[in-house]
Every structure is written in C-alpha cells, then in structure tokens.
Amino acid sequence: MPDHTIQQSLIADQRISDPRSARGRLLTSAARLFREQGYERTTVRDLASDVGIQSGSLFHHFRSKEDILKAVMEETIILNTEIMRAALARAETVRDKLRSLIACELESINGQTGEAMAVLVFEWRSLSDASRAEILKLRDVYEALWMEVLSALEEEGRLKADPFVTRRMLTGALSWTITWYRPGGSMSLEDLTGEIMGMLGL
Amino acid sequence: MPDHTIQQSLIADQRISDPRSARGRLLTSAARLFREQGYERTTVRDLASDVGIQSGSLFHHFRSKEDILKAVMEETIILNTEIMRAALARAETVRDKLRSLIACELESINGQTGEAMAVLVFEWRSLSDASRAEILKLRDVYEALWMEVLSALEEEGRLKADPFVTRRMLTGALSWTITWYRPGGSMSLEDLTGEIMGMLGL
Amino acid sequence: MPDHTIQQSLIADQRISDPRSARGRLLTSAARLFREQGYERTTVRDLASDVGIQSGSLFHHFRSKEDILKAVMEETIILNTEIMRAALARAETVRDKLRSLIACELESINGQTGEAMAVLVFEWRSLSDASRAEILKLRDVYEALWMEVLSALEEEGRLKADPFVTRRMLTGALSWTITWYRPGGSMSLEDLTGEIMGMLGL
Amino acid sequence: MPDHTIQQSLIADQRISDPRSARGRLLTSAARLFREQGYERTTVRDLASDVGIQSGSLFHHFRSKEDILKAVMEETIILNTEIMRAALARAETVRDKLRSLIACELESINGQTGEAMAVLVFEWRSLSDASRAEILKLRDVYEALWMEVLSALEEEGRLKADPFVTRRMLTGALSWTITWYRPGGSMSLEDLTGEIMGMLGL
DNA sequence: AATGAATGAGGGTTCATTCAT
DNA sequence: CATGAATGAACCCTCATTCAT
C-alpha cells in the first residue's frame, strides 16, 4: 500500500485532514510558518493572510492558535506512524525493518511532512500541558514501533549499543538532518540511509 | 590549564562576563529562563525579577532583549571553543583528539553551560539577521576545530563515513542528549563518550 | 376580560407576537437571556442556540440584535399597558384603581413578563437613541394611566405626598422587588400589594 | 467628624484611593463612564483617553478591566459605610437614626458618589463570581447598619411593615431617585428625606 | 426560511522600551 | 546606576452581520 493510499484512508477515517480542505490548507501553511518563523513569532494574521482569509475566520476551524499547533503535530504523527507501520509490514528481516524505520523517518523529516516534523521538535514548549499529554500518547505509539525492532535486533546480537541509547542517538541525528540535508543534492535519502546503517555496523 | 583558569583568562580579556557581575548573573538567569520557557515566552520582567532588579534597569546592561539572547549564545560559544582548544592541545593522537571533542561537547551540553547551549540550538530563529551573522562567525571557528580532527582521521583511513556527514550526525546526536541524558544516573558522560566512540568504530 | 384574552386580541391585531411563533419564542428566550446575562454579554449565538436555530437565521426575523432588544421592551409595555387598562376598567373607586395598578405592576414584574420587565429597566442604556424614543412614547402612555389615578387620589385629599414623587417612589420600590421577591414564598403578591397600600396610608 | 475628614482618614488607611492620585482619578472617570454608557460598552480605550493616558497604562494600576469595576464598587461602599456609621453616632433617637440613614443613602446616590452607586446597582452582573463575593461581604456590613435601626424601630412599635420588607422597599425607592431626582431643583434632599419619613408615617 | 462559512472591526491585554526622577 | 510609571504597537480572540447555497 503506497503512502498516498494510506493518507487517503486516514482522511476517510477523519483521523487527518484533507490537504485540499480549508482546514488542511491551513495546517500546511501553519507548519511552514511555524517552522520558518517559530510558533510565537507567527501571528494569526500571518497565518490567515497566507491562506488568503481574514484572521477572524481562522477561528471557525480552530478554537485557538494553540489548537492549530496541536493539530499540526497530531496529524503528522498519526500519518507517519501509519506510513511506518505499513513499511514495517513490507520488510522481511529485522535488519530490513530497521532500514525501513530509518528511511521512513528521514523521509518524514526531509519530505512532505518535514515542516510539521520540525515543528514537532522545535515548538514542543509552546504546547499547553494538556495538549502535550495528548501528543505524548501518540508519540509513545510511534516510539514503540522503533523499540520493538531495536530490541529484536539486540536479541539477535547485532546491535552494538543499548537499544535505548541507540534510539536516542538516532532521534537526534535524524532530526538534525532538517538543518543541513538538501534533497536534490549529490546525496539521496537512500544514500543517507545506507550511510547511517553503516555507522551502526549493519 | 583547567577549565576554570580558561574562564578566568577570558574574563580578564573581557571576552566573557564575570558570572558574579550584574551582567554575568543576568546572562545565567537568561540562559535558564530562555531554556525553560523559550525566549519569546520569557518577558523582561521575568528576567529582571529573577535577578532581583526592576525591568527598566535591564536596559542599563543590555540595549535590548535580543541583545541578551545574543550575549548568551556568544559567550557560551567563546568559552566552549577555548575549553575545546585547550583539550585538543592536551590530546596526543588524532583518535584522542576526537574523543576530547566529543567529551567536551557532551560536557558543554550537559554540564554548566548546558542551558546556554540549548538556547543556542532552540532559539536560533529568534536572532535578528545581524546577530545571527555574528554568531555564525564564532560557530565557524568552533566547527573548524572539529573538521580539522575529522579530516585528519579520514586521512588516516580510520573514519568510515564522510567527515562532513559524520560531524552533522554527531551534532544532532550530541545536542539531542539534552532532552534525555541525566547526569548522576547510571551512565556517566565518560561512559556515553565511550559508547559514541564505539558507534563510530573507534 | 381575562389577561389571556387581552393577549389573544393583541396578537390578532399584530401588536405583539404569538409566543408560539418563531418570533415569539425568540423574544421569550431573549428576555430570559438578556435578564440573566445582560444584553451585551448575550451573543446572538447564545440566543440562536437557545431556540434551536443557527445564528444567521436570526436575521430573517430581526434586522439586528438591538432590534430584538427593542421588541422585547416594546411588546412587554404594550401587553402590560392593555392589561392595566382592563384592570382599571374593572375597579370602581379611585382607591381600588390604585390597588389595581400596584397589583398589575407587581404581577408584570414578578410574573410571566418579569424577565422582559427587568430588561426594560436594566438594559435601557443599550438602546439606540432612535429606539429609546419609540419606547419612551409607549412608556408615556403607560405612565399616564398611573398619573391619572394618583392625581384623582390627591384631589380626593387621600394622598399624603406629591403624586409625582409618589409615583417615582413606587416605580423604584416595585421594580426592585425583582431582586428579592420570590413567588411561592410565605408572602403572596396579594399580601405585598396590601403592605404597600398600607405604607401609603390607604 | 465631617464627611471630608472621614474620607481623608480612609485614604490614610489605604482603604480607598486619593481622588487626586492616578488611581483615584481613574476610578472617578470609570464610575462616570460605566454609569453613562454601561460597563460593557465602555472600552478601556474610552477610559484611558478620558483620564488622558494610553490604554496600556491602565494596566499599571489595575490588573484587568473588571478589577476597575470591582474597585469602583468597593471603594464607594467602604466610604459610604463609614459616613453612615459616623452619622448614626451623631443621631440620638432611633427615629433620628433612620432619618440619618435615609439622608445618607440619598446623598450617596445623588451626591459625589452617585455615579459609583449607580454602577453598583446596574453593573452587578458584570462582576465575576469571585469579585461579587467580595463586594457582598462589604454590602452585608452596610446592610447590617440599616437592619439594626429598623429592628429597633419595630421593637418600639413605630414601624408599620416588616423591617425586612421596609428595607427592600426603601432600597428600591431610594436607588431609583438617581433616575429622576435633580439636585438644585425645587426639592432639596432634605425635603425628599422628609417626604419619605412621612410616607413611613414617622 | 434556513444554513454556516466568512467577514472585519474592535475588544481586552501584553510587553519591550523609554525617561524623568 | 536604579526606578517604575508611561508608552503604543501588536497580540489573540470575539462577535454581529452578510450572503451564496
């Protein structure tokens, strides 16, 4: 099942917004603006004018500015979790599963959902405690997929470091790619995935 | 030359502030508050009351709020660059030099200057273009120390991946430790340094 | 002619709304909400949801929010004026007429139209000048009924104070009952009417 | 002790604001504007321009707009309670005490604090629950002064109606004078007080 | 009539910065 | 140097009203 189909199915289930809907276009704009300028420095007027509506109209779609931030994070985690789950299902060996995880995460960070993923990392403190708790639940599901594979790999004796530490290192290293990796350059995401597998000795 | 002495000498040269001076205490508070709440969500009143003065008095020490942010970043880079330079001088082999770099960076992120380092990473977008350019110059000096060692290591044929990519991965992985590593737990920074050297196959 | 029949006849003449019509139900809701929360703090959405329609649909029944306020006031004065006129016709002596006026006004304030009457008193300043002028005309008719009786009583030498002052005192005292009198308690409106007549020495 | 001296002493005790201070002038303006236009229709910009400052400067003196409303009510009750207490001390017979209460309340409603007293009556619903509770405590003290005198009068057998009902009637009748009584006309407040005593048969 | 998305002016409030004292 | 009242622009959000469907 290709990523596009997964997205369609999540839209049908109303777990994420249709990117062509008013709400969806708003979230796309928000992800970009929050990523470029930061959540606090982005005004609701910036956001409204970016999607071509008046600032008051935002509040027909979201109860508050923070609600928009939460939705950006929520929808990107939901989508990427499902994409990753599908990729894991296609992989056969545990090693392949890890490669899939790395490839998916790199794609999520440097592809279509890159801006939203950066927001997830950099605007974490702008969430209210209540919203943070909700997002953490989704994040736990996502992280569980990683830990399952890393633990299996450790049991096979093929992981040099502690799975927990390894995941932390990978999280940092992969999310940091947003600051320097440029798709379309001499190195493809495929290449990068290989390089990282190499560093892990796999 | 111990770190403490390096600091003394930088203070004497007026390249960084004495932490006991009004300016120094202000920067320490700012680093902590900016790290905890974010730069935008920290008001100058928060800052002033944290050091026990009135908000108007801040502006006798700094021209603007952004000036405080810039100073936090500036001074932490200057200090850590010098500490790293001294550590490199003490190391004999290239491999030892790399270990020193990793150890220093981990220490800078998780030790005394941790809050300021986190600010450097997470509040980057709050800098004006002019300030950003100034900080970038200092950062280039710092990064040059890293690249020199990684290139030497590559020439020795002991580095598996591209030095540039390796540094990027390390930057992400090391800076991310701020979000999960807890000093005083079962793993010392020494242990962590070793684990990372291991991952690099060194 | 009982009050109910007076109401029917005013509805037939289209001087007030049928309480079962959309417009009538809206005015009943409006009176209650304006009284409980105040006119300014009541939104048209509150009002619409209270009658089970969408806010946009309100404007098929009334030109503006203020128009609703005006109608609440207008219809309650018209109704109570006619009820009072009928009561006066039934009373024989001048003293009985005064008792009827007091009883009617107490009933209007603490009975079915109580909410609307409270709105009339407390939301006066929310009317535009134009609306205020219209309501004042109706109020003059209502007040003329009172002054006629009080003047007659003075001519009979049975009123201790000036009719004008007496009416003002009664207006204040009677309208204030809305804040403390509870129907169904130990004192009936009949009792209260008697008590007030007593205070006037009648 | 003249009213002016009572005010001075309350200012010295910081129970009310000096009318010449920034805070005091603000409260005077607020009372007038809230009375003329209503609390909700008065914007903080109206208020600020009325005292000749910028809207943001209001918030150096009061935490919120509602805080201003609360202060208007609070200070006027405190002042009038003390003025009334002093007047009671000067009166000798119970009948004189009641006359003093009526005279004081008429003065409070139609004199210097008239606007604030009107706000107290008409803007009650604009207070938050918390503020309302605070004001109610002060109001209870004020009302206790009334009930004490009315109860004493009843024991002397000189009060025709129930003290509770009498007070309610008087509250309504006296507060309503704000809507029609004009000082400087043919009837003085002294005259009006006499007229009311007469109505009560005293 | 009814809908409900959109409007856009205006609301209360915040906050970095200034400056007379 | 320190104060703290004052500034004024900008912020998020509300809401009566409109209008295409």
Side-chain angles (χ1 to χ4, degrees), chain C residues 9-149:
Chain C
S9 134
L10 288 167
I11 293 168
D13 296 352
Q14 300 205 15
R15 297 195 62 206
I16 66 175
S17 311
D18 187 329
R20 291 160 310 184
S21 70
R23 186 185 158 99
R25 277 180 292 120
L26 230 151
L27 289 178
T28 306
S29 274
R32 186 171 54 77
L33 291 175
F34 291 169
R35 194 262 181 281
E36 284 171 4
Q37 318 175 2
Y39 169 76
E40 305 284 350
R41 279 180 304 287
T42 302
T43 69
V44 294
R45 277 185 172 76
D46 288 342
L47 200 41
S49 88
D50 197 67
V51 292
I53 60 175
Q54 293 294 324
S55 67
S57 308
L58 280 184
F59 295 88
H60 289 286
H61 300 283
F62 294 93
R63 275 196 316 278
S64 68
K65 187 187 172 191
E66 201 229 327
D67 212 39
I68 300 177
L69 177 62
K70 196 182 90 179
V72 166
M73 294 181 173
E74 214 161 49
E75 299 207 355
T76 202
I77 298 194
I78 289 172
L79 176 59
N80 284 311
T81 301
E82 291 314 310
I83 287 175
M84 214 159 78
R85 209 193 294 276
L88 284 176
R90 283 192 303 267
E92 300 196 348
T93 67
V94 179
R95 186 182 166 284
D96 277 356
K97 284 184 193 292
L98 180 63
R99 170 178 270 276
S100 287
L101 291 178
I102 293 172
C104 280
E105 195 156 299
L106 278 174
E107 174 65 28
S108 76
I109 289 166
N110 297 286
Q112 300 279 12
T113 61
E115 279 150 353
M117 289 295 284
V119 168
L120 191 52
V121 171
F122 284 104
E123 304 299 343
W124 190 248
R125 288 163 313 178
S126 292
L127 283 178
S128 66
D129 289 344
S131 302
R132 195 145 37 204
E134 287 187 55
I135 303 290
L136 269 179
K137 275 191 207 158
L138 296 172
R139 208 162 184 173
D140 286 345
V141 173
Y142 180 91
E143 288 298 322
L145 296 180
W146 272 91
M147 291 316 294
E148 209 172 327
V149 171

Side-chain angles (χ1 to χ4, degrees), chain B residues 69-136:
Chain B
L69 177 61
K70 195 183 91 179
V72 166
M73 295 181 172
E74 214 161 51
E75 299 207 356
T76 203
I77 297 193
I78 289 173
L79 175 60
N80 284 311
T81 302
E82 290 315 309
I83 287 175
M84 216 160 76
R85 209 193 296 277
L88 284 175
R90 284 193 302 266
E92 300 196 348
T93 68
V94 179
R95 185 182 166 285
D96 277 354
K97 284 183 193 292
L98 180 64
R99 169 179 270 277
S100 288
L101 290 177
I102 293 172
C104 280
E105 195 156 299
L106 278 173
E107 174 65 26
S108 74
I109 288 166
N110 297 285
Q112 302 279 13
T113 61
E115 279 150 351
M117 289 295 284
V119 169
L120 192 51
V121 172
F122 283 103
E123 305 299 341
W124 190 247
R125 286 163 313 177
S126 292
L127 285 177
S128 66
D129 289 345
S131 301
R132 194 145 39 204
E134 287 187 55
I135 304 290
L136 270 178

Side-chain angles (χ1 to χ4, degrees), chain A residues 40-41 123 125-126 199, chain B residues 40-41 123 125-126 199:
Chain A
E40 308 282 352
R41 277 178 307 287
E123 304 299 343
R125 285 166 313 179
S126 292
M199 280 190 189
Chain B
E40 305 284 351
R41 277 180 305 287
E123 305 299 341
R125 286 163 313 177
S126 292
M199 281 190 188

Side-chain angles (χ1 to χ4, degrees), chain A residues 163-182:
Chain A
F164 179 85
V165 173
T166 305
R167 173 55 185 148
R168 299 299 192 167
M169 292 291 164
L170 280 172
T171 302
L174 299 183
S175 66
W176 193 250
T177 59
I178 190 86
T179 66
W180 61 272
Y181 179 76
R182 288 292 160 265

Side-chain angles (χ1 to χ4, degrees), chain A residues 51-188:
Chain A
V51 290
I53 60 175
Q54 294 293 322
S55 67
S57 307
L58 282 183
F59 297 89
H60 277 277
H61 302 285
F62 296 93
R63 273 195 316 277
S64 66
K65 186 186 173 193
E66 202 229 324
D67 211 39
I68 300 177
L69 177 61
K70 195 182 91 179
V72 166
M73 294 182 172
E74 214 161 49
E75 298 207 357
T76 203
I77 297 194
I78 289 173
L79 175 60
N80 284 312
T81 301
E82 291 314 310
I83 287 175
M84 216 160 76
R85 210 192 294 276
L88 284 175
R90 284 192 302 267
E92 301 198 347
T93 69
V94 179
R95 186 182 165 284
D96 278 354
K97 284 183 193 291
L98 181 62
R99 169 179 272 275
S100 289
L101 291 177
I102 293 172
C104 281
E105 195 157 299
L106 278 174
E107 173 65 27
S108 75
I109 289 166
N110 297 285
Q112 302 278 15
T113 62
E115 279 151 349
M117 289 295 283
V119 168
L120 192 51
V121 171
F122 284 102
E123 304 299 343
W124 190 247
R125 285 166 313 179
S126 292
L127 282 178
S128 66
D129 289 345
S131 300
R132 196 147 37 204
E134 286 185 55
I135 304 289
L136 269 178
K137 275 191 205 156
L138 296 173
R139 207 164 184 170
D140 286 346
V141 173
Y142 180 91
E143 289 299 322
L145 296 180
W146 272 91
M147 291 316 294
E148 209 172 328
V149 171
L150 286 170
S151 299
L153 213 58
E154 189 192 29
E155 273 179 28
E156 290 186 1
R158 303 179 64 179
L159 196 66
K160 286 187 286 191
D162 172 63
F164 179 85
V165 173
T166 305
R167 173 55 185 148
R168 299 299 192 167
M169 292 291 164
L170 280 172
T171 302
L174 299 183
S175 66
W176 193 250
T177 59
I178 190 86
T179 66
W180 61 272
Y181 179 76
R182 288 292 160 265
S186 65
M187 192 192 301
S188 70

Side-chain angles (χ1 to χ4, degrees), chain B residues 174-194:
Chain B
L174 298 183
S175 66
W176 192 249
T177 58
I178 190 94
T179 67
W180 63 272
Y181 178 77
R182 288 293 160 264
S186 64
M187 191 192 300
S188 68
L189 282 181
E190 196 76 8
D191 295 340
L192 191 51
T193 306

